[in-house]
Amino acid sequence: AFNAKDGLGIHRLIKSGIEVGIITGRVSSFVSKRAEDLGIRHVYQKKMDKKPVFLELCEKLALKPDQVAYMGDDIIDLPVLEEVAIRACPADAMPCVKKICNFIAHNKGGRGAARELCDCILEAQ
């Protein structure tokens, strides 16, 4: 699910100079189109093992994992969440994910959770 509020939050991050990426285990033309519409340049689909892709992206962007915020909701996100500074999840994330997160959104995934994280990052700048 996509939410206009999430989209505006992501758009604001990108406009402020913050790189945004998507790493998903699924393949969807909708994800590709939404990323293109928002200006997200880093999109990786059909990646069940997300950590190698994440580390590759960090290297590409000259970032250390502890300079990254990451939002995930299920067990395939745990290896990346364990590496980052801001470990975020939506309200409907699996309990094992919530347990390690230091930012738990009030909203569910696809229903404003990403916007909450985006706003928090922008406010912290």
Side-chain angles (χ1 to χ4, degrees), residues 65-72 78 80-90 93-106 116-117 120-121:
D66 65 1
Q67 296 174 299
V68 175
Y70 181 92
M71 181 172 270
L78 290 172
V80 176
L81 285 166
E82 292 169 348
E83 298 290 322
V84 300
I86 300 175
R87 300 177 305 277
C89 69
M94 296 301 297
C96 61
V97 173
K98 286 183 174 181
K99 184 177 178 179
I100 70 160
C101 284
N102 52 22
F103 181 96
I104 300 174
H106 295 99
E116 288 182 54
L117 179 59
C120 181
I121 292 168

Side-chain angles (χ1 to χ4, degrees), residues 19-113:
E19 294 283 352
V20 176
I22 297 172
I23 304 172
T24 180
R26 296 182 290 181
V27 176
S28 168
S29 60
F30 295 110
V31 170
S32 298
K33 177 67 173 138
R34 180 71 167 155
E36 181 183 327
D37 290 347
L38 293 173
I40 300 172
R41 299 181 307 145
H42 314 285
V43 181
Y44 303 88
Q45 297 191 65
K46 201 174 181 182
K47 302 296 180 187
M48 296 303 289
D49 186 3
K50 295 182 179 189
K51 187 174 175 180
V53 176
F54 166 74
L55 294 173
E56 176 185 313
L57 182 57
C58 284
E59 186 174 322
K60 177 180 179 179
L61 299 174
L63 293 170
K64 296 177 185 170
D66 65 1
Q67 296 174 299
V68 175
Y70 181 92
M71 181 172 270
D73 66 355
D74 212 333
I75 58 173
I76 65 171
D77 296 299
L78 290 172
V80 176
L81 285 166
E82 292 169 348
E83 298 290 322
V84 300
I86 300 175
R87 300 177 305 277
C89 69
D92 58 342
M94 296 301 297
C96 61
V97 173
K98 286 183 174 181
K99 184 177 178 179
I100 70 160
C101 284
N102 52 22
F103 181 96
I104 300 174
H106 295 99
N107 291 301
K108 294 180 178 181
R111 305 276 185 243

